[in-house]
Amino acid sequence: MPETMNTKIARRGLMLVLSSPSGAGKTTISRRLLDRDPGITLSVSVTTRPMRPGEQPGVHYYFVDMPEFDRMAGQGELLEHARVFGNCYGTPRHAVETALSAGRDVLFDIDWQGMQQLAANARADLVSVFVLPPSGTELERRLHSRGQDSAEVIAQRMAKASDEISHWGEYDYVIVNNDVDESVQAVQAILRAERLRRTRQVGMPAFVESVQAAL
Ligand SMILES: Nc1ncnc2c1ncn2[C@@H]1O[C@H](COP(=O)(O)OP(=O)(O)OP(=O)(O)O)[C@@H](O)[C@H]1O
Ligand SMILES: Nc1nc2c(ncn2[C@@H]2O[C@H](COP(=O)(O)O)[C@@H](O)[C@H]2O)c(=O)[nH]1
């Protein structure tokens, strides 16, 4: 629950989506946000892509094979799903719905196709942020500096970057990730304001009535 003038008002959680071309920094920003704000839950996606060094199943992704992904999608267990860079990715529905109902905010590191599906199905709960790199050269440098993808995968991701960036105008907010700390602060400012939206503060009508009743 957020604090409004030191009074706790029940609130519905929101879905905070961060998208960017691969390597612009949304995972880095997400991790820092999660460290700083215990009110946010990360949506852990399912994917058919191979696990990278350092990744842990159930923490970074649920790694599944194609038949299991198809089963989940077919049975409506995914809130959204998309094919990205030749692999399938999707958001497990149950964890998100439980968190939102409990007033917890959910952070999504997903692409523009996923954001569009959430916008079509749950616009009122969605807050979307597009993260731009400072330049194309810096984007490529970051992909190399991460040291987790082959030259071929990096070339494939760079080739897709312009396509990804073309969706920036569909997002509620846009930031340029020059400095990680500044980017995290910008996203925190967005979150702070969005949490105070009247429509999310589902306990507000009862609170207002209680104030009026005592007048
Ligand atoms: N503001 C920044 N300045 C310098 N380096 C950064 C910045 N933000 C992120 N990086 C670095 O860039 C690399 C890519 O970042 P990250 O993995 O967060 O990107 P991503 O957008 O999540 O990529 P993907 O979509 O492939 O998961 C990492 O090595 C990260 O440490
Ligand atoms: N539509 C969705 N996109 C997703 C999901 N999980 C991750 N992603 C996006 O895929 C690319 C590649 O991610 P990587 O971890 O392989 O580098 C990136 O743009 C992610 O945002 C999802 O559940 N749905």
Side-chain angles (χ1 to χ4, degrees), residues 120-179:
N121 298 321
R123 187 66 189 94
D125 289 331
L126 176 66
V127 178
S128 58
V129 181
F130 197 85
V131 180
L132 285 166
S135 68
T137 319
E138 173 62 10
L139 181 66
E140 190 164 11
R141 192 200 64 75
R142 287 182 190 174
L143 280 171
H144 283 286
S145 77
R146 185 162 67 186
Q148 287 185 330
D149 295 306
S150 65
E152 191 192 342
V153 167
I154 291 176
Q156 187 195 16
R157 289 180 180 221
M158 282 303 290
K160 281 287 219 174
S162 181
D163 254 19
E164 300 275 337
I165 288 175
S166 70
H167 292 278
W168 72 276
E170 299 161 25
Y171 284 70
D172 298 323
Y173 300 91
V174 184
I175 62 172
V176 179
N177 179 25
N178 274 305
D179 175 84

Coordinates of all heavy atoms in Angstrom, one line a residue, residues 120-179:
A120 N -3.3 -4.2 -25.1 CA -4.6 -4.6 -25.6 C -5.5 -5.3 -24.6 O -6.7 -5.1 -24.6 CB -4.3 -5.6 -26.8
N121 N -4.8 -6.0 -23.6 CA -5.6 -6.7 -22.6 C -5.8 -6.1 -21.2 O -6.7 -6.5 -20.5 CB -5.0 -8.2 -22.5 CG -5.1 -8.9 -23.8 OD1 -6.0 -8.8 -24.6 ND2 -4.0 -9.6 -24.1
A122 N -4.9 -5.2 -20.9 CA -4.9 -4.7 -19.5 C -4.3 -3.3 -19.5 O -3.5 -3.0 -18.6 CB -4.1 -5.6 -18.6
R123 N -4.8 -2.4 -20.3 CA -4.3 -1.1 -20.5 C -4.2 -0.3 -19.1 O -3.2 0.4 -18.8 CB -5.0 -0.3 -21.5 CG -4.4 1.1 -21.8 CD -3.1 0.9 -22.5 NE -2.3 2.1 -22.7 CZ -1.3 2.5 -21.8 NH1 -1.1 1.9 -20.7 NH2 -0.6 3.6 -22.1
A124 N -5.3 -0.5 -18.3 CA -5.4 0.3 -17.1 C -4.2 0.0 -16.1 O -3.8 0.8 -15.3 CB -6.7 0.1 -16.4
D125 N -3.7 -1.3 -16.2 CA -2.7 -1.7 -15.2 C -1.3 -1.4 -15.7 O -0.3 -1.6 -15.0 CB -2.8 -3.2 -15.0 CG -4.0 -3.6 -14.1 OD1 -4.5 -2.7 -13.3 OD2 -4.5 -4.7 -14.3
L126 N -1.2 -1.0 -17.0 CA 0.1 -0.9 -17.7 C 0.8 0.5 -17.6 O 0.2 1.5 -17.8 CB -0.1 -1.3 -19.1 CG 1.2 -1.2 -20.1 CD1 2.2 -2.2 -19.7 CD2 0.7 -1.4 -21.5
V127 N 2.1 0.4 -17.2 CA 2.9 1.6 -17.3 C 4.2 1.2 -18.2 O 4.9 0.3 -17.7 CB 3.4 2.2 -16.0 CG1 4.3 3.4 -16.1 CG2 2.2 2.5 -15.1
S128 N 4.4 1.8 -19.3 CA 5.4 1.3 -20.2 C 6.5 2.3 -20.4 O 6.3 3.5 -20.5 CB 4.8 0.9 -21.6 OG 4.2 2.0 -22.2
V129 N 7.8 1.8 -20.3 CA 9.0 2.7 -20.4 C 9.9 2.1 -21.5 O 10.3 1.0 -21.4 CB 9.7 2.8 -19.1 CG1 10.9 3.7 -19.2 CG2 8.8 3.2 -18.0
F130 N 10.2 3.0 -22.5 CA 11.2 2.5 -23.5 C 12.6 3.1 -23.1 O 12.7 4.3 -22.9 CB 10.8 3.0 -24.9 CG 11.5 2.2 -26.0 CD1 11.0 1.0 -26.4 CD2 12.7 2.7 -26.5 CE1 11.6 0.3 -27.4 CE2 13.3 2.0 -27.5 CZ 12.8 0.7 -28.0
V131 N 13.6 2.2 -23.2 CA 15.0 2.6 -22.8 C 15.8 2.7 -24.1 O 16.0 1.7 -24.8 CB 15.6 1.6 -21.8 CG1 17.0 2.0 -21.4 CG2 14.7 1.4 -20.6
L132 N 16.3 3.9 -24.4 CA 17.1 4.0 -25.6 C 18.6 4.0 -25.2 O 19.0 4.5 -24.1 CB 16.9 5.4 -26.2 CG 15.5 5.5 -27.0 CD1 15.2 7.0 -27.3 CD2 15.6 4.7 -28.3
P133 N 19.5 3.5 -26.0 CA 20.9 3.7 -25.8 C 21.4 5.1 -26.2 O 20.7 5.7 -27.0 CB 21.5 2.6 -26.7 CG 20.6 2.6 -27.9 CD 19.2 2.9 -27.3
P134 N 22.5 5.6 -25.7 CA 22.9 6.9 -26.1 C 23.3 7.0 -27.5 O 23.2 8.1 -28.2 CB 24.2 7.2 -25.2 CG 24.2 6.1 -24.2 CD 23.4 5.0 -24.6
S135 N 23.7 5.9 -28.1 CA 24.1 5.9 -29.6 C 24.2 4.4 -30.0 O 24.3 3.5 -29.2 CB 25.5 6.5 -29.8 OG 26.5 5.7 -29.2
G136 N 24.3 4.2 -31.3 CA 24.4 2.9 -31.9 C 25.8 2.3 -31.5 O 25.9 1.1 -31.2
T137 N 26.8 3.1 -31.5 CA 28.1 2.6 -31.2 C 28.2 2.1 -29.8 O 28.8 1.1 -29.5 CB 29.2 3.8 -31.4 OG1 28.8 4.5 -32.5 CG2 30.6 3.3 -31.4
E138 N 27.6 2.9 -28.9 CA 27.6 2.5 -27.5 C 26.8 1.2 -27.3 O 27.1 0.4 -26.5 CB 27.1 3.7 -26.6 CG 26.8 3.4 -25.1 CD 28.1 3.0 -24.4 OE1 29.2 3.1 -24.9 OE2 28.0 2.5 -23.2
L139 N 25.7 1.1 -28.0 CA 24.9 -0.2 -27.9 C 25.7 -1.4 -28.3 O 25.7 -2.4 -27.5 CB 23.7 -0.1 -28.9 CG 22.7 -1.3 -28.8 CD1 22.0 -1.3 -27.5 CD2 21.7 -1.2 -30.0
E140 N 26.5 -1.3 -29.4 CA 27.3 -2.4 -29.8 C 28.4 -2.7 -28.7 O 28.7 -3.8 -28.4 CB 27.9 -2.1 -31.2 CG 28.6 -3.4 -31.7 CD 28.8 -3.2 -33.2 OE1 28.7 -2.1 -33.8 OE2 29.2 -4.3 -33.8
R141 N 29.0 -1.6 -28.2 CA 30.0 -1.8 -27.2 C 29.5 -2.5 -26.0 O 30.1 -3.4 -25.4 CB 30.5 -0.4 -26.8 CG 31.8 -0.4 -25.9 CD 32.1 0.8 -25.1 NE 31.1 1.1 -24.1 CZ 31.0 0.5 -23.0 NH1 31.8 -0.5 -22.6 NH2 30.0 0.8 -22.1
R142 N 28.2 -2.1 -25.6 CA 27.6 -2.8 -24.4 C 27.3 -4.3 -24.6 O 27.5 -5.1 -23.8 CB 26.3 -2.1 -24.0 CG 26.6 -0.7 -23.4 CD 25.3 0.0 -22.9 NE 25.6 1.4 -22.5 CZ 24.8 2.3 -22.2 NH1 23.5 2.0 -22.2 NH2 25.1 3.5 -21.8
L143 N 26.9 -4.6 -25.9 CA 26.6 -6.0 -26.2 C 27.9 -6.8 -26.1 O 27.9 -7.9 -25.5 CB 26.0 -6.1 -27.6 CG 24.5 -5.8 -27.7 CD1 24.0 -5.8 -29.1 CD2 23.7 -6.9 -26.9
H144 N 29.0 -6.2 -26.6 CA 30.3 -6.9 -26.5 C 30.8 -7.0 -25.0 O 31.3 -8.0 -24.6 CB 31.4 -6.2 -27.3 CG 31.2 -6.5 -28.8 ND1 31.5 -7.7 -29.4 CD2 30.7 -5.8 -29.8 CE1 31.3 -7.7 -30.7 NE2 30.8 -6.5 -31.0
S145 N 30.6 -5.9 -24.3 CA 31.1 -5.8 -22.9 C 30.4 -6.8 -22.0 O 31.0 -7.3 -21.0 CB 31.0 -4.4 -22.3 OG 29.7 -4.1 -21.9
R146 N 29.2 -7.1 -22.3 CA 28.4 -8.1 -21.5 C 29.1 -9.5 -21.6 O 29.1 -10.2 -20.6 CB 27.0 -8.2 -22.0 CG 26.1 -9.1 -21.2 CD 24.6 -8.8 -21.4 NE 24.2 -9.2 -22.7 CZ 23.0 -9.0 -23.2 NH1 22.1 -8.3 -22.5 NH2 22.7 -9.3 -24.5
G147 N 29.8 -9.7 -22.7 CA 30.6 -10.9 -22.8 C 29.8 -12.2 -22.7 O 30.4 -13.2 -22.3
Q148 N 28.5 -12.2 -23.1 CA 27.8 -13.4 -22.9 C 27.2 -14.0 -24.3 O 26.7 -15.1 -24.3 CB 26.6 -13.2 -22.0 CG 27.0 -13.1 -20.6 CD 25.9 -13.0 -19.6 OE1 24.8 -12.4 -20.0 NE2 26.1 -13.4 -18.4
D149 N 27.4 -13.3 -25.3 CA 26.8 -13.7 -26.6 C 28.0 -13.8 -27.6 O 28.9 -13.0 -27.6 CB 25.7 -12.7 -27.1 CG 24.5 -12.7 -26.2 OD1 24.0 -13.8 -25.9 OD2 24.2 -11.6 -25.7
S150 N 27.8 -14.7 -28.6 CA 28.8 -14.9 -29.6 C 28.7 -13.7 -30.6 O 27.7 -12.9 -30.6 CB 28.5 -16.1 -30.4 OG 27.2 -16.0 -31.1
A151 N 29.8 -13.5 -31.4 CA 29.8 -12.4 -32.4 C 28.6 -12.5 -33.3 O 28.0 -11.5 -33.7 CB 31.1 -12.5 -33.2
E152 N 28.2 -13.7 -33.6 CA 27.0 -13.9 -34.5 C 25.7 -13.5 -33.9 O 24.9 -12.8 -34.5 CB 26.9 -15.4 -34.9 CG 26.0 -15.7 -36.0 CD 25.7 -17.3 -36.1 OE1 26.5 -18.0 -35.5 OE2 24.7 -17.6 -36.7
V153 N 25.5 -13.8 -32.6 CA 24.3 -13.4 -31.9 C 24.3 -11.9 -31.7 O 23.3 -11.2 -31.9 CB 24.3 -14.1 -30.5 CG1 23.2 -13.4 -29.6 CG2 24.0 -15.6 -30.7
I154 N 25.5 -11.3 -31.5 CA 25.5 -9.8 -31.3 C 25.2 -9.1 -32.6 O 24.4 -8.2 -32.7 CB 26.9 -9.4 -30.8 CG1 27.1 -9.8 -29.4 CG2 27.1 -7.9 -30.9 CD1 28.5 -9.5 -28.8
A155 N 25.7 -9.7 -33.7 CA 25.4 -9.1 -35.1 C 23.9 -9.2 -35.3 O 23.3 -8.2 -35.8 CB 26.2 -9.8 -36.1
Q156 N 23.3 -10.3 -34.9 CA 21.9 -10.5 -35.2 C 21.1 -9.5 -34.3 O 20.1 -8.9 -34.8 CB 21.5 -11.9 -34.7 CG 20.1 -12.4 -35.0 CD 19.8 -13.6 -34.2 OE1 20.5 -14.0 -33.2 NE2 18.7 -14.3 -34.6
R157 N 21.5 -9.2 -33.1 CA 20.8 -8.3 -32.2 C 21.0 -6.8 -32.7 O 20.0 -6.1 -32.7 CB 21.2 -8.5 -30.8 CG 20.7 -9.8 -30.2 CD 21.0 -10.1 -28.8 NE 20.4 -11.4 -28.5 CZ 19.8 -11.7 -27.4 NH1 19.7 -10.8 -26.4 NH2 19.2 -12.9 -27.2
M158 N 22.2 -6.5 -33.2 CA 22.4 -5.2 -33.7 C 21.5 -4.9 -35.0 O 21.0 -3.9 -35.2 CB 23.9 -5.0 -34.1 CG 24.8 -4.7 -32.9 SD 24.3 -3.2 -31.9 CE 24.7 -1.9 -33.1
A159 N 21.4 -6.0 -35.8 CA 20.6 -5.9 -37.0 C 19.1 -5.6 -36.7 O 18.4 -5.0 -37.5 CB 20.7 -7.1 -37.9
K160 N 18.7 -6.1 -35.5 CA 17.3 -5.9 -35.1 C 17.0 -4.6 -34.4 O 15.9 -4.2 -34.1 CB 16.9 -7.0 -34.2 CG 16.6 -8.3 -34.9 CD 15.2 -8.2 -35.6 CE 14.4 -9.4 -35.6 NZ 13.1 -9.2 -36.2
A161 N 18.1 -3.9 -34.0 CA 18.0 -2.8 -33.0 C 17.1 -1.6 -33.6 O 16.3 -1.1 -32.9 CB 19.4 -2.3 -32.6
S162 N 17.3 -1.4 -34.9 CA 16.6 -0.2 -35.5 C 15.1 -0.5 -35.5 O 14.2 0.3 -35.2 CB 17.1 0.0 -36.9 OG 16.4 1.1 -37.4
D163 N 14.7 -1.8 -35.8 CA 13.3 -2.2 -35.8 C 12.7 -2.1 -34.4 O 11.6 -1.6 -34.2 CB 13.3 -3.8 -36.0 CG 12.8 -4.1 -37.4 OD1 12.8 -3.2 -38.2 OD2 12.4 -5.3 -37.6
E164 N 13.5 -2.5 -33.4 CA 13.0 -2.4 -32.0 C 12.8 -0.9 -31.6 O 11.7 -0.6 -31.1 CB 14.1 -2.9 -31.0 CG 14.5 -4.4 -31.2 CD 13.5 -5.3 -30.4 OE1 12.9 -4.9 -29.5 OE2 13.4 -6.5 -30.9
I165 N 13.8 -0.1 -32.0 CA 13.7 1.3 -31.6 C 12.5 2.0 -32.3 O 11.9 3.0 -31.8 CB 15.0 2.0 -31.9 CG1 16.1 1.6 -30.9 CG2 14.9 3.6 -31.9 CD1 17.5 2.1 -31.2
S166 N 12.1 1.5 -33.4 CA 11.0 2.1 -34.2 C 9.7 2.1 -33.4 O 8.8 2.8 -33.7 CB 10.8 1.5 -35.5 OG 10.2 0.2 -35.4
H167 N 9.6 1.3 -32.3 CA 8.4 1.3 -31.5 C 8.4 2.2 -30.3 O 7.5 2.2 -29.5 CB 8.2 -0.2 -31.0 CG 7.9 -1.1 -32.1 ND1 6.6 -1.2 -32.6 CD2 8.7 -1.9 -32.8 CE1 6.6 -2.1 -33.6 NE2 7.9 -2.5 -33.8
W168 N 9.4 3.1 -30.2 CA 9.6 3.9 -29.0 C 8.3 4.8 -28.8 O 7.9 5.1 -27.6 CB 10.8 4.8 -29.1 CG 10.7 5.9 -30.1 CD1 11.0 5.8 -31.4 CD2 10.3 7.2 -29.9 NE1 10.7 7.0 -32.0 CE2 10.4 7.9 -31.1 CE3 10.0 8.0 -28.7 CZ2 10.0 9.3 -31.2 CZ3 9.6 9.3 -28.9 CH2 9.6 9.9 -30.1
G169 N 7.7 5.2 -29.9 CA 6.6 6.2 -29.8 C 5.3 5.5 -29.2 O 4.3 6.2 -28.9
E170 N 5.3 4.2 -29.0 CA 4.1 3.5 -28.5 C 4.1 3.4 -26.9 O 3.2 2.9 -26.3 CB 4.1 2.1 -29.0 CG 3.9 2.0 -30.5 CD 4.3 0.7 -31.1 OE1 4.2 -0.4 -30.4 OE2 4.7 0.6 -32.3
Y171 N 5.2 3.9 -26.4 CA 5.4 3.8 -24.9 C 5.0 5.0 -24.2 O 5.0 6.1 -24.7 CB 6.9 3.5 -24.6 CG 7.2 2.0 -24.9 CD1 7.3 1.6 -26.2 CD2 7.4 1.1 -23.9 CE1 7.5 0.2 -26.6 CE2 7.7 -0.2 -24.2 CZ 7.7 -0.7 -25.5 OH 7.9 -2.0 -25.8
D172 N 4.6 4.9 -22.9 CA 4.2 6.0 -22.0 C 5.3 6.9 -21.7 O 5.1 8.1 -21.7 CB 3.6 5.5 -20.7 CG 2.4 4.6 -20.9 OD1 1.6 4.9 -21.8 OD2 2.2 3.6 -20.1
Y173 N 6.5 6.4 -21.5 CA 7.7 7.1 -21.1 C 8.9 6.7 -21.9 O 9.0 5.5 -22.3 CB 8.0 7.0 -19.6 CG 6.9 7.4 -18.7 CD1 5.9 6.5 -18.3 CD2 6.8 8.7 -18.3 CE1 4.9 6.9 -17.4 CE2 5.8 9.1 -17.4 CZ 4.8 8.2 -17.0 OH 3.8 8.7 -16.2
V174 N 9.8 7.6 -22.2 CA 11.1 7.2 -22.9 C 12.3 7.8 -22.1 O 12.2 9.0 -21.8 CB 11.1 7.8 -24.3 CG1 12.3 7.3 -25.1 CG2 9.8 7.3 -25.1
I175 N 13.3 6.9 -21.9 CA 14.5 7.5 -21.2 C 15.7 7.1 -22.1 O 15.7 6.1 -22.8 CB 14.7 7.0 -19.8 CG1 14.8 5.5 -19.7 CG2 13.5 7.4 -18.9 CD1 15.1 5.0 -18.3
V176 N 16.8 7.9 -22.0 CA 18.0 7.5 -22.6 C 19.0 7.1 -21.5 O 19.2 7.8 -20.6 CB 18.6 8.8 -23.4 CG1 20.0 8.4 -24.0 CG2 17.7 9.3 -24.4
N177 N 19.4 5.8 -21.6 CA 20.2 5.3 -20.6 C 21.7 5.6 -20.8 O 22.5 4.8 -21.2 CB 20.0 3.7 -20.5 CG 20.9 3.1 -19.4 OD1 21.3 3.7 -18.4 ND2 21.2 1.8 -19.6
N178 N 22.1 6.8 -20.3 CA 23.5 7.2 -20.3 C 24.1 6.7 -19.1 O 25.1 6.0 -19.1 CB 23.6 8.8 -20.3 CG 23.5 9.4 -21.7 OD1 24.3 9.0 -22.5 ND2 22.6 10.3 -21.9
D179 N 23.6 7.2 -17.9 CA 24.1 6.8 -16.6 C 23.1 5.9 -15.9 O 21.9 6.3 -15.8 CB 24.4 8.1 -15.9 CG 24.8 7.9 -14.4 OD1 26.0 7.7 -14.3 OD2 24.0 7.8 -13.5

